[in-house]
């Protein structure tokens, strides 16, 4: 009795022979009485009458082979399974690669046989229809009612967190973690040398073949969605997701307005401006924490403080300047630990404390005024104010100090 082999074409998919432990090659023998695990023998061990434990040579047996026609006389069952596996690996329509993987048929034969027997065959379409109707009838009375659940928390669309969670790296157009991400680990220590034995060489070749099959599966999983959905449908799918994120973000902003008691878009604009000012003030209040993080590198700290001081001063709105001058005088600035303090003399330290200017920024402004004075042979207050964009009162104090100390002279 002949039966279709229940394993794939790859010899490693079949259990070894119980007699000689070699890879089974069709046809081979399966004991019909030993079980539940299959007891398989190659033809050589079967002809020698191999016996093991409960298995005896007079047991009933089955001949396992796939070398017989199923749908067409010129196509064996083994070739049918190889065709289905090749189409699954290479994708529908890629008949050149399908034929290359099969090796026994050309691309025209593969395409014609697949279209005739698996696509346009009314037997398969009616069978699938009947299975679908049976499944619908089975689940019609026991269907679980749909209940919407709360939307899971998601990061902001196109934010750094969303890309990290997705594991996608746009710059490389690749994923941070692939399917079967550690497949290369089994291959990294393999080295082919001339003095390898035949068995060791064969084992290394087998490991490489296994790695290739894992790479094929990785590529197949990447292309699975693209094989099911066409390019136009895929673009619509991505655009719909982007639109969903935009709508959710807009709805969240409208809900925030409603919670704040805002009922018009004019009030919403004022709310957004005030909110931005509040965020800027909160950012400035945390500036000291950032300074402490940079304090170990004096040069980096000096550059960062100068940049932050210029940006903070130039970003203050006019209304905030009025409020600042109405307040009482601030205490002198503590210069302890600030970079650049050791480069100042006592009078310059006193100026920085009174004006509340960090030493790094003062040294930078001083050097700029000195260079401009040398270039023009003198410097006026208006030119100094145009050169350093800070508070005009601070500029006047720095200018008067440099004139008094003799660093610069009036034009």
């Amino acid at each position: 009795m002949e039966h279709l082999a229940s394993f794939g074409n790859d010899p490693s998919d079949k259990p070894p022979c119980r007699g000689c432990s070699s890879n089974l090659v069709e046809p081979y023998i399966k004991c019909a009485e030993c079980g539940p695990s299959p007891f398989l023998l190659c033809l050589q061990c079967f002809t020698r009458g191999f016996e093991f434990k409960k298995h005896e040579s007079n047991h009933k047996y089955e001949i396992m082979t796939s070398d017989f026609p199923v749908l067409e006389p010129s196509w064996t069952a083994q070739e049918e399974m190889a065709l289905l596996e090749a189409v699954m690996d290479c994708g529908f329509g890629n008949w050149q690669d399908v034929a290359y993987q099969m090796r026994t048929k050309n691309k025209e034969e593969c395409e014609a046989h697949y279209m005739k027997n698996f696509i346009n065959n009314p037997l398969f379409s009616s069978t699938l229809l009947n299975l679908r109707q049976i499944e619908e009838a089975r689940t019609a009375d026991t269907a679980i009612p749909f209940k919407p659940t709360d939307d899971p928390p998601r990061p902001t669309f196109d934010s750094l967190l969303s890309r990290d969670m997705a594991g996608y790296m746009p710059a490389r157009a690749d994923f941070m973690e692939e399917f079967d991400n550690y497949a290369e680990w089994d291959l990294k220590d393999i080295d082919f040398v001339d003095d390898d034995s035949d068995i060791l060489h064969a084992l290394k070749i087998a490991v490489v073949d296994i790695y290739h099959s894992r790479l094929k599966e990785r590529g197949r999983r990447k292309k699975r969605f693209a094989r099911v959905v066409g390019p136009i449908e895929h673009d619509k799918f991505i655009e719909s997701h982007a639109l969903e994120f935009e709508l959710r973000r807009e709805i969240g902003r409208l809900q925030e307005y409603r919670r704040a008691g805002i009922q018009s878009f004019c009030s919403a604009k004022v709310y957004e401006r005030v909110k931005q000012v509040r965020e800027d003030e909160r950012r400035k209040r945390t500036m000291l924490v950032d300074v402490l993080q940079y304090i170990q590198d004096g040069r980096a700290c000096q550059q960062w403080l100068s940049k932050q001081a210029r940006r903070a001063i130039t970003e203050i709105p006019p209304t905030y300047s009025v409020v600042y001058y109405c307040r009482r005088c601030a205490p002198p600035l503590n210069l302890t630990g600030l970079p650049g303090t050791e480069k100042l003399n006592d009078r310059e330290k006193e100026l920085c404390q009174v004006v509340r200017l960090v030493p790094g920024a003062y040294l930078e402004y001083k050097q700029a005024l000195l260079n401009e004075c040398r270039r023009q042979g003198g410097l006026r207050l208006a030119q100094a104010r145009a050169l350093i964009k800070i508070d005009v009162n601070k500029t006047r104090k720095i200018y008067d100090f440099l004139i008094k100390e003799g660093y610069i002279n009036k034009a």
Side-chain angles (χ1 to χ4, degrees), residues 36-54:
S37 60
F39 192 91
L40 306 178
L41 293 174
C42 63
L43 294 181
Q44 291 77 9
C45 294
F46 175 74
T47 55
R48 290 199 302 267
F50 176 79
E51 295 183 348
F52 181 73
K53 294 184 178 180
K54 296 182 180 181

Side-chain angles (χ1 to χ4, degrees), residues 158-397:
D158 201 26
S159 63
L160 179 61
L161 180 59
S162 66
R163 291 193 291 271
D164 289 344
M165 291 181 63
Y168 183 71
M169 296 176 290
R172 292 179 54 187
D174 206 347
F175 291 90
M176 185 176 300
E177 289 197 11
E178 301 279 0
F179 168 77
D180 197 1
N181 196 51
Y182 300 100
E184 288 77 11
W185 281 26
D186 298 334
L187 198 70
K188 62 184 179 65
D189 296 328
I190 292 182
D191 186 17
F192 288 89
V193 294
D194 296 335
D195 56 349
D196 283 344
S197 63
D198 294 340
I199 297 178
L200 183 58
H201 184 77
L203 287 175
K204 292 180 178 179
I205 294 295
V207 172
V208 174
D209 291 339
I210 293 173
Y211 172 68
H212 286 167
S213 64
R214 296 166 77 175
L215 286 183
K216 288 170 58 178
E217 177 63 18
R218 182 185 293 174
R220 186 185 72 83
R221 288 177 178 259
K222 279 187 176 181
K223 297 179 181 179
R224 178 184 300 175
F225 185 78
R227 283 161 47 187
V228 175
V229 181
I232 299 178
E233 291 81 3
H234 178 75
D235 290 341
K236 291 181 179 180
F237 176 77
I238 298 299
E239 291 175 359
S240 300
H241 271 279
L243 179 61
E244 177 189 359
F245 279 110
E246 292 294 335
L247 290 175
R248 288 181 181 274
R249 185 166 58 181
E250 186 66 23
I251 291 172
R253 185 161 56 247
L254 294 176
Q255 291 175 344
E256 181 183 359
Y257 294 159
R258 179 59 59 88
R259 287 192 298 267
I262 297 174
Q263 299 180 355
S264 65
F265 285 104
C266 182
S267 301
K269 293 180 181 179
V270 176
Y271 173 80
E272 288 293 341
R273 288 200 298 268
V274 175
K275 179 182 177 182
Q276 184 63 39
V277 172
R278 189 187 307 117
E279 292 296 330
D280 293 342
E281 289 298 323
R282 184 181 295 109
R283 175 175 55 84
K284 293 171 184 176
R285 285 196 298 268
T286 59
M287 188 181 299
L288 180 59
V289 179
D290 297 335
V291 172
L292 294 177
Q293 294 177 357
Y294 283 86
I295 203 67
Q296 295 180 355
D297 188 350
R299 184 177 180 182
C301 180
Q302 180 178 348
Q303 296 175 353
W304 187 87
L305 283 173
S306 302
K307 180 180 178 182
Q308 294 296 327
R310 289 195 301 269
R311 185 172 66 179
I313 292 172
T314 55
E315 289 179 355
I316 295 178
T319 56
Y320 278 73
S321 299
V322 175
V323 175
Y324 174 79
Y325 293 127
C326 293
R327 295 176 180 173
R328 62 183 178 86
C329 295
L333 179 65
N334 185 9
L335 303 182
T336 305
L338 292 181
T341 305
E342 69 280 357
K343 299 179 181 179
L344 306 180
N345 56 38
D346 295 338
R347 292 183 298 277
E348 288 177 325
K349 292 179 182 179
E350 182 180 358
L351 173 67
C352 290
Q353 289 175 343
V354 174
V355 181
R356 295 186 60 81
L357 192 65
V358 294
Y362 165 76
L363 293 173
E364 183 177 348
Y365 300 151
K366 174 185 174 182
Q367 188 62 41
L369 295 176
L370 290 177
N371 294 338
E372 187 68 16
C373 182
R374 294 193 192 100
R375 189 174 66 85
Q376 297 187 5
L379 191 65
R380 292 179 298 168
L381 178 59
Q383 294 173 330
R385 287 176 175 172
L387 190 61
I388 53 177
K389 304 293 185 179
I390 61 175
D391 183 72
V392 292
N393 294 312
K394 292 186 178 182
T395 305
R396 172 180 285 277
K397 292 180 180 180

